[in-house]
Amino acid sequence: MVYRDNTSDPVPATGRWYAVAAEYDRVLYGMDALKDSNQKIVALAGGVGGAKFLQGLAGAVPDERLIAVVNTADDFELWGLHISPDVDTVMYTLAGIANPATGWGIAGDTRATLDGIAAYGEDPWFLVGDRDISTHILRTHRLREGQSLSEVTKGLAAALGIGVRLLPMSDDPVRTQIRVDDGWLGFQDYFVGRRHEDAVLDVRFDGIEAASPAPGVLDAVHDADLILFCPSNPIVSIAPILGVPGVRDAIASSKSPVACISPIVGGKALKGPAAGMLEQRGLDVSAAGVAAYYGDLVDVMIIDQVDAALAPEIEAQGKRVIVLQTIMGDRDDRVRLASEVMAALA
């Protein structure tokens, strides 16, 4: 078990954990060395937690060393527009324009379009701001012109000044569906429309068997010196990426370490329905349960200090355990966590 200061000795919950000066972090966690390293990193991500950690990574390592593979199984069409919620959350967060109150959407956005839709008697159940809608309009237009989702994403990210390479998991349509008591629901109907209050009986990814990894995904995994699973929902954010034919096998055959930052802290999901989904599969709602879900695919589990007592159970699964303060606050705190993760894995 490794603690924040790269020793096996617990660090007391003092200012060393919570208010470390920037220069101290730079020396202690080797941030200058991280900037100088040529290590190639592939990060699998989806949702707000994944986007926050990616922003931290982008602040800890040079853009050209980082490739993010983003879940697109929660994409859907609304009012004729192709919406990619996870891709957009990652883009807006990396661009520094995400709404800090929600983690998704654009800060300061207005909702005149939704008010207009409501005036026509339609239920504006999926909240998108006016600037956000411009993203969906352009994405839909470019897709209809014949561009692939990868090409569209590259263009949108570049326009927002994002240097990190963002790859959708696939250019082919894959859709997460959730089975509840009264049948199967599209993911957004379950997650947003019903506020993920229904008990989840099953999850499936429609179209995944026919999908192919987006261009560059398998090459990125093959060339990676480190593969990271961001603190995203393992079942509806990371599993769809792994389910695209060829991706899981590429990661399993990689000789590079595969590390996961647990999205479960203190027996609770920091955001979203991950806890109930783990429970539905008969797994503990804990960092140990996340480790068990990923099985032999993950070599290293990064868990929060409040879960340090779970380290022996996770180590018994054959995994190395790193204990850090994993709950992220503002951008500086996200960079702090990413820097500590990279230093601990060095």
Side-chain angles (χ1 to χ4, degrees), residues 9 22 35 37 46 53 104 152 159-160 215 219 237 262 266 302 322 331:
D9 301 320
K35 292 287 187 182
S37 170
F53 185 73
W104 47 266
V152 173
L160 291 176
D219 287 341
S237 291
S262 176
I302 298 151
I322 297 171
R331 180 188 178 279

Side-chain angles (χ1 to χ4, degrees), residues 69 97 192 202 206 247 285 292:
V69 180
I97 61 173
V192 178
D202 200 2
D206 185 54
V247 175
V285 181

Side-chain angles (χ1 to χ4, degrees), residues 10 15 19 43 62 84 117 120 125 157 162 186 210 213 220 262-263 267 275 291 319 324 337 344:
S84 296
I117 286 172
Y120 283 110
W125 62 275
I162 297 169
S262 176
K319 296 172 174 54
L324 299 171
L337 175 59

Side-chain angles (χ1 to χ4, degrees), residues 87-154:
V87 171
D88 293 341
T89 296
V90 168
M91 282 201 311
Y92 298 157
T93 303
L94 289 177
I97 61 173
N99 184 344
T102 60
W104 47 266
I106 296 176
D109 211 347
T110 53
R111 52 171 295 165
T113 303
L114 286 187
D115 290 342
I117 286 172
Y120 283 110
E122 291 284 336
D123 178 16
W125 62 275
F126 190 85
L127 298 182
V128 285
D130 297 321
R131 288 184 61 195
D132 196 11
I133 287 176
S134 70
T135 302
H136 313 322
I137 291 172
L138 287 176
R139 175 185 292 114
T140 305
H141 173 67
R142 293 174 184 181
L143 287 171
R144 288 175 181 170
E145 281 189 327
Q147 291 188 37
S148 68
L149 186 58
S150 295
E151 292 169 334
V152 173
T153 301
K154 180 179 179 180

Side-chain angles (χ1 to χ4, degrees), residues 99-329:
N99 184 344
T102 60
W104 47 266
I106 296 176
D109 211 347
T110 53
R111 52 171 295 165
T113 303
L114 286 187
D115 290 342
I117 286 172
Y120 283 110
E122 291 284 336
D123 178 16
W125 62 275
F126 190 85
L127 298 182
V128 285
D130 297 321
R131 288 184 61 195
D132 196 11
I133 287 176
S134 70
T135 302
H136 313 322
I137 291 172
L138 287 176
R139 175 185 292 114
T140 305
H141 173 67
R142 293 174 184 181
L143 287 171
R144 288 175 181 170
E145 281 189 327
Q147 291 188 37
S148 68
L149 186 58
S150 295
E151 292 169 334
V152 173
T153 301
K154 180 179 179 180
L156 294 174
L160 291 176
I162 297 169
V164 174
R165 187 179 177 194
L166 300 184
L167 298 177
M169 68 183 200
S170 177
D171 287 335
D172 301 313
V174 177
R175 299 294 178 259
T176 298
Q177 297 177 340
I178 307 294
R179 186 164 68 88
V180 298
D181 284 337
D182 56 344
W184 287 95
L185 299 173
F187 181 74
Q188 299 304 336
D189 293 319
Y190 155 77
F191 186 69
V192 178
R194 298 198 184 187
R195 302 181 180 181
H196 53 87
E197 294 175 349
D198 295 81
V200 176
L201 304 180
D202 200 2
V203 178
R204 67 186 181 192
F205 308 117
D206 185 54
I208 202 159
E209 296 86 357
S212 298
V217 169
L218 294 184
D219 287 341
V221 172
H222 180 268
D223 295 339
D225 299 302
L226 173 65
I227 301 168
L228 292 171
F229 292 2
C230 292
S232 305
N233 186 314
I235 295 165
V236 293
S237 291
I238 302 298
I241 304 174
L242 298 176
V244 176
V247 175
R248 177 182 287 271
D249 289 344
I251 293 174
S253 62
S254 173
K255 295 181 180 178
S256 299
V258 180
C260 169
I261 300 93
S262 176
I264 302 292
V265 175
K268 298 179 181 179
L270 296 178
K271 196 173 181 69
M277 291 180 174
L278 286 170
E279 194 171 37
Q280 183 268 329
R281 280 163 171 70
L283 296 168
D284 287 341
V285 181
S286 67
V290 174
Y293 177 78
Y294 286 127
D296 294 339
L297 198 62
V298 167
D299 308 306
V300 184
M301 282 296 300
I302 298 151
I303 66 175
D304 192 83
Q305 58 177 344
V306 303
D307 294 320
L310 295 174
E313 181 180 350
I314 298 171
E315 288 170 339
Q317 298 179 27
K319 296 172 174 54
R320 179 188 172 201
V321 176
I322 297 171
V323 179
L324 299 171
Q325 163 62 25
T326 63
I327 297 177
M328 296 172 284

